[in-house]
């Protein structure tokens, strides 16, 4: 699809979306939602442009046809590297979360996991999922890869919760399919997706097998509805003529609480049904891919933030100060470190039994662990350079006002020769990225998206191969085990 076809395809969906307690008639044109749609549309637009075709498209391993890379099953480490580069590019172009990666990461995780389930259990999930992938590729769909359950009381397993719906689960198995109930929380791009592709949220025990479920449904399926997530400063987008104060008036991201109220799923869209031993594998693989993803998207957004901070310094007349130069260097160093991790875990990837490629899991977890920290430091430095005016500056309406506007223009002036409005625009962009709507994607999502920091530390511990490291040290130090008796 091209950009316009994508937007037209969303208009055809009969989504049930709630925002501020009301059903939204037309999510596509809603001023608070639309910027997030524009970000996803960019994944279609760039794929049409000659200079980006190598990054944005790939040859399908299933049909041999050209597909958008967001619908691709990675066939090599080169594909994995290109994925990260594509994400950095999109971060640079949108300065926000462009949402489509969750589907791509789910495709690759489910493709390889279903292959291994079938090999062990004699099921036919992989065949079904391969057919589903052909459907996705053929129609160039955006798919919400959905993992995170609300989880209720964290000290209790899914089946021990007071409310059995705190984890999405199978309530009925029928001849023609299954019926599911529950919710997926903070679903990136849910309203801009044609389909929801569900995975379990964690490894399961046998007693929790009704919660070990993976399936796909159209996003307007009977029983599915969404409640839009608030973002800091979101209603600025609703103000008449919203422009400067929004910081990034064209692009954004969104998350929603997606509810599944007894939703029927036909068998050909079920990819895991109670094989609880494989829930952990699916989760781990999806998380690994999405932890790799952050080495791309967050660095692209970081590029914009570093650029904005450097502009703010220019516009303040402070660009030549040594401490400012050093702060920009530090921001660049941190940002490129994240990118290096994204590239490294891709270059060190390997082939799965199903034939697609997965990342080096240890390095992907190191990547995301750094992402839980560095964007915060980059944001801190950007705020330092921007100055307090970023958060105390009068509104665009005052700037445009006949009476007080000239005063705003006069007293918000920075370096000689720089227009006040340009200075305001750059400061609002920094505000948007560090404290406003985009801070969801750049800051808090850096912490919690693709798993909170502790989730990565568990994976790092598991893969650190400490015993082998001890042996290395023993050998160099000439340790004699016999002396330890
Ligand atoms: Fe893609 Fe990054 Fe958004 Fe995840 S947070 S969907 S990787 S842009
Ligand atoms: Fe994310």
């Amino acid at each position: 699809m091209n950009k316009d076809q994508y937007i037209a395809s969303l208009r055809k969906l009969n989504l049930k979306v709630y925002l501020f307690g009301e059903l939204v008639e037309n999510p596509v044109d809603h001023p608070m939602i639309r910027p997030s749609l524009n970000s996803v549309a960019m994944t279609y637009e760039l794929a049409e442009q000659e200079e980006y075709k190598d990054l944005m498209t790939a040859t399908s391993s299933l049909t041999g046809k050209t597909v958008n890379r967001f619908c691709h099953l990675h066939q090599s480490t080169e594909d994995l590297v290109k994925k990260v580069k594509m994400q950095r590019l999109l971060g640079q172009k949108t300065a926000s979360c462009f949402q489509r990666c969750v589907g791509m990461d789910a495709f690759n995780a489910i493709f390889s996991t279903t292959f291994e389930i079938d090999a062990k259990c004699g099921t036919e999930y992989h065949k079904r999922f391969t057919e589903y992938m052909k459907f996705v590729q053929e129609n160039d769909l955006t798919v919400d890869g959905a993992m995170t359950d609300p989880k209720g009381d964290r000290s209790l397993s899914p089946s021990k919760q007071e409310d059995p719906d705190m984890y999405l689960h199978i309530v009925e198995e029928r001849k023609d399919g299954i019926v599911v109930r529950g919710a997926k929380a903070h679903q990136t791009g849910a309203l801009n997706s044609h389909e929801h592709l569900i995975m379990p949220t964690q490894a399961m025990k046998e007693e929790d097998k009704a919660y070990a479920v993976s399936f796909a449904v159209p996003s307007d399926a009977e029983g599915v509805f969404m409640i839009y997530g608030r973002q800091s400063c979101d209603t600025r987008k609703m103000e008449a003529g919203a422009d400067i104060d929004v910081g990034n008036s064209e692009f954004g991201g969104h998350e929603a609480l997606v509810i599944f109220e007894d939703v029927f799923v036909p068998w050909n869209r079920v990819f895991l049904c109670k094989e609880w031993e494989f829930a952990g594998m699916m989760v781990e693989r999806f998380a690994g891919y999405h932890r790799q993803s952050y080495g791309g998207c967050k660095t692209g957004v970081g590029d914009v933030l570093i650029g904005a901070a450097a502009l703010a310094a220019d516009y303040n007349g402070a660009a030549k100060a040594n401490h400012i130069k050093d702060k920009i260097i530090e921001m660049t160093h941190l940002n490129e470190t994240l990118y290096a991790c994204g590239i490294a875990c891709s270059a060190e990837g390997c082939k799965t039994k199903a034939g697609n490629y997965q990342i080096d899991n240890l390095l992907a977890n190191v990547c995301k662990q750094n992402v839980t920290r560095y964007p915060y430091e980059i944001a801190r430095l950007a705020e330092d350079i921007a100055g307090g005016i970023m958060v105390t500056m009068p509104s665009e309406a005052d700037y445009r006002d006949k009476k007080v506007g000239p005063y705003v223009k006069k007293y918000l002036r920075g370096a000689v020769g720089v227009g006040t409005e340009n200075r305001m625009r750059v400061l609002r962009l920094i505000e948007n990225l560090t404290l406003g709507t985009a801070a969801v994607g750049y800051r808090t999502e850096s912490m919690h998206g693709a798993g909170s920091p502790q989730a990565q530390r568990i994976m790092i511990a598991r893969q650190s191969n400490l015993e082998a490291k001890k042996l290395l040290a023993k050998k160099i130090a000439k340790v004699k085990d016999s002396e330890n008796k």
Side-chain angles (χ1 to χ4, degrees), residues 87 97-99 101-102 188 290 293-294 297-298 445:
Q87 290 167 311
C97 164
F98 36 90
Q99 306 144 58
C101 329
V102 280
T188 295
H290 211 54
S293 287
Y294 279 30
C297 78
K298 301 296 180 241
E445 192 179 44

Side-chain angles (χ1 to χ4, degrees), residues 212-239:
V213 62
S214 173
F215 61 88
V217 285
S219 41
D220 58 356
E222 185 72 30
V224 174
F225 64 99
M226 308 175 221
I227 309 174
Y228 199 75
R230 283 220 77 162
Q231 296 172 333
S232 166
C233 311
D234 51 8
T235 47
R236 286 193 193 182
K237 293 179 191 162
M238 311 266 278
E239 292 168 8

Side-chain angles (χ1 to χ4, degrees), residues 362 460-473:
L362 174 58
I460 291 169
R462 243 192 248 166
Q463 296 167 90
S464 61
N465 209 355
L466 207 53
E467 291 312 313
K469 290 184 171 76
K470 284 187 199 167
L471 282 179
L472 295 174

Side-chain angles (χ1 to χ4, degrees), residues 70 83 87 90-91 94 96-105 188-189 253 255 289-298 301 441 445-446 449-450:
F70 281 97
K83 173 194 156 185
Q87 290 167 311
L90 275 149
T94 62
S96 66
C97 164
F98 36 90
Q99 306 144 58
R100 206 173 167 187
C101 329
V102 280
M104 165 176 57
D105 292 342
T188 295
E255 271 76 24
Y289 284 122
H290 211 54
R291 289 168 194 173
Q292 168 210 25
S293 287
Y294 279 30
C297 78
K298 301 296 180 241
V301 178
E445 192 179 44
S446 287

